[in-house]
Amino acid sequence: MNFMVADNDMNELCNCKKLRSAARHITRFYDACLSESGLRATQYSILAYLEHREPKTMKELADLMVMDRATIGHNLRPLERDGLITIQVSETDRRARAVSITDEGLKRLALGRPGWERAQAEFESQLGAEYVASMRKMMNEVARFNFDID
């Protein structure tokens, strides 16, 4: 395929731009649905990862969320400040920090669940269950693809 395109076509053909635009659009929608809980979509996702798991190190959590350590740290600070998570020195590696959800975090997650469910239902209603399932499958494949450009 020839990727020499006119500048006006670039916005229509750029995979990165299309994925990022869609992600921002969907994130704004989920943020609005979660607003009553006081959580943003990323915060809700972090708490959901921690809900039924042992404490995760910041690195493990960053890997699960596909974020770098600085970004996960930036996202964890408000959750820690609000008492929704705790961050402590790991018992197995003093250099690592273990992140755990608190009882208050579990309550806030439960408060956000109806908004999240509303967002999920509306998204599926607008696009169709089969299309959404296919989209999730495709995004899982994209996330597994190795884009290293060594």
Side-chain angles (χ1 to χ4, degrees):
M1 176 176 228
N2 182 2
F3 288 104
M4 299 299 292
V5 296
D7 287 344
N8 58 343
D9 292 335
M10 195 165 304
N11 283 329
E12 286 305 309
L13 296 175
C14 182
N15 300 318
C16 184
K17 185 216 178 281
K18 290 295 183 180
L19 282 168
R20 290 175 61 90
S21 294
R24 284 190 296 270
H25 184 69
I26 293 166
T27 299
R28 279 196 294 267
F29 172 64
Y30 274 73
D31 283 347
C33 290
L34 288 165
S35 65
E36 290 181 20
S37 70
L39 295 170
R40 298 181 61 89
T42 303
Q43 294 170 324
Y44 183 86
S45 294
I46 290 168
L47 294 177
Y49 268 119
L50 296 171
E51 181 179 21
H52 299 294
R53 295 175 173 87
E54 295 294 318
K56 294 285 181 201
T57 66
M58 288 178 71
K59 181 180 178 343
E60 289 170 331
L61 198 52
D63 289 346
L64 284 169
M65 298 288 298
V66 191
M67 294 179 177
D68 59 42
R69 283 209 30 163
T71 303
I72 197 71
H74 174 78
N75 281 279
L76 292 176
R77 278 191 288 279
L79 296 173
E80 183 181 34
R81 177 198 65 220
D82 295 345
L84 306 180
I85 62 166
T86 59
I87 302 175
Q88 299 174 330
V89 174
S90 170
E91 293 179 9
T92 58
D93 182 351
R94 308 276 311 147
R95 297 168 295 174
R97 299 293 174 261
V99 182
S100 301
I101 193 168
T102 64
D103 288 342
E104 190 58 38
L106 291 170
K107 289 177 191 172
R108 186 74 66 88
L109 187 62
L111 184 63
R113 185 89 47 182
W116 180 82
E117 289 173 353
R118 186 172 59 249
Q120 289 285 105
E122 181 65 21
F123 191 85
E124 193 168 292
S125 171
Q126 292 291 320
L127 295 172
E130 189 174 310
Y131 183 86
V132 171
S134 176
M135 180 207 63
R136 282 193 301 264
K137 182 178 178 186
M138 182 177 60
M139 291 298 104
N140 285 337
E141 290 299 314
V142 169
R144 279 193 285 273
F145 188 79
N146 183 356
F147 287 104
D148 289 337
I149 56 172
D150 297 332

